[in-house]
Amino acid sequence: MLTVYSEKHKLRDAKTELYGGELVAPFECPARAEYILERVQSEKLGEIVPPDDFTLDPITRIHDSQFLHFIENCWQAWQSSGYHGEAIPTVWPSRRMPQQRIPDHVEGKLGYYALAGETSISNGTWEAARASANVALTAQSAILNGAKEAFALCRPPGHHAASDMFGGYCFINNAAVAAQAFIDQGASRVSILDVDFHHGNGTQAIFYDRADVMFCSLHGDPNDAFPHFLGYADETGSGSGEGYNHNYPMGPGTGFKSWGSALDDACQKIRNYAPDALVISLGVDTFENDPISFFKLASDDFKRYGATIGGLNLPTLFIMEGGYAVEEIGINAVNVLQGYEGI
């Protein structure tokens, strides 16, 4: 299996995250990608290539141009305002503020474009996010050109990023950008299967009223898990997208038996939809020892469900999302890919 990887992910090296009322070292860190890369190499999974450079055009098919301009220039604006430390949102346009204008000051812009307060913006964030999108687009191009499968080792991740919101460690929605690229290049239908522990709220919001991209997400119940405000089972799409959004929220302690049953149901929906391509938002924070999740999948389970995905027999693009048990992340991510390949 082809792996696409960029050293530029290291430019995203934030030092602060707001978690549990404290400023802590971010769970989303450069070591995550390094452990995965080492495992890809040690298991001889296949060729590893750097990404091609793409323009902003395929990204602006998904994301608002003003939002992208903000992410690109936030760090400079933050420093110019005289703030110390990293840029963390502290104020939002809430439910009692119906006229949501975009302020001029960086503090206001941060709150306007943030969906949550845990994710700081620091030097190198934009460059790393652009490189991550290029990784996804390069792997997507490989499939378009005939590869059966490819692994985009993206970092930072993307599935929480909506068209004009960042958060949950995500700035550009790599899975959405890749799915749209398939559509723009001739696909009639694309499925996105999100197996990250956290609901792909950004991906859902982007495609919620569309029938050409079907979204299925297996995740922690939003009553108990971040991002909390999307991901319920009764969210099935709107307008022409009605019936093309499928959520599988599950509670604390969920093990592979229940999780695997949800995956089987999602895979049957994908078969019935008969997409031209399948995009997997591959988060391995469903692992039993993940520090910020509550599912109980064991490492062998990742290989088992990789085989289930392989049984769909579709051109498949794996895009890396979450997973914060850092020392095991390479084992679990590559187990999915090996299971898919029948290894």
Short mmCIF file of all heavy atoms in Angstrom, two decimals, residues 37 134 178 230 292:
data_model
loop_
_atom_site.label_atom_id
_atom_site.label_comp_id
_atom_site.label_asym_id
_atom_site.label_seq_id
_atom_site.Cartn_x
_atom_site.Cartn_y
_atom_site.Cartn_z
N LEU A 37 4.81 6.30 11.03
CA LEU A 37 5.79 6.14 9.95
C LEU A 37 6.76 5.01 10.25
O LEU A 37 7.06 4.18 9.36
CB LEU A 37 6.55 7.45 9.74
CG LEU A 37 7.59 7.44 8.63
CD1 LEU A 37 6.93 7.29 7.26
CD2 LEU A 37 8.44 8.71 8.67
N ASN A 134 -2.26 18.50 1.32
CA ASN A 134 -1.53 18.02 0.15
C ASN A 134 -1.27 16.51 0.22
O ASN A 134 -1.31 15.82 -0.80
CB ASN A 134 -0.20 18.76 0.02
CG ASN A 134 -0.35 20.16 -0.53
OD1 ASN A 134 -1.36 20.49 -1.17
ND2 ASN A 134 0.63 21.00 -0.28
N ALA A 178 -10.64 15.54 0.03
CA ALA A 178 -10.39 14.40 -0.85
C ALA A 178 -11.67 13.89 -1.48
O ALA A 178 -11.70 13.57 -2.69
CB ALA A 178 -9.69 13.29 -0.08
N LEU A 230 -23.09 17.44 17.93
CA LEU A 230 -23.53 16.71 16.74
C LEU A 230 -23.18 15.24 16.94
O LEU A 230 -22.36 14.90 17.78
CB LEU A 230 -22.84 17.23 15.47
CG LEU A 230 -23.37 18.51 14.81
CD1 LEU A 230 -22.55 18.81 13.56
CD2 LEU A 230 -24.83 18.41 14.46
N ILE A 292 -7.99 9.88 26.04
CA ILE A 292 -9.10 10.83 25.98
C ILE A 292 -10.34 10.22 25.32
O ILE A 292 -11.16 10.94 24.75
CB ILE A 292 -8.69 12.15 25.29
CG1 ILE A 292 -8.17 11.92 23.87
CG2 ILE A 292 -7.64 12.88 26.11
CD1 ILE A 292 -7.92 13.22 23.09
#
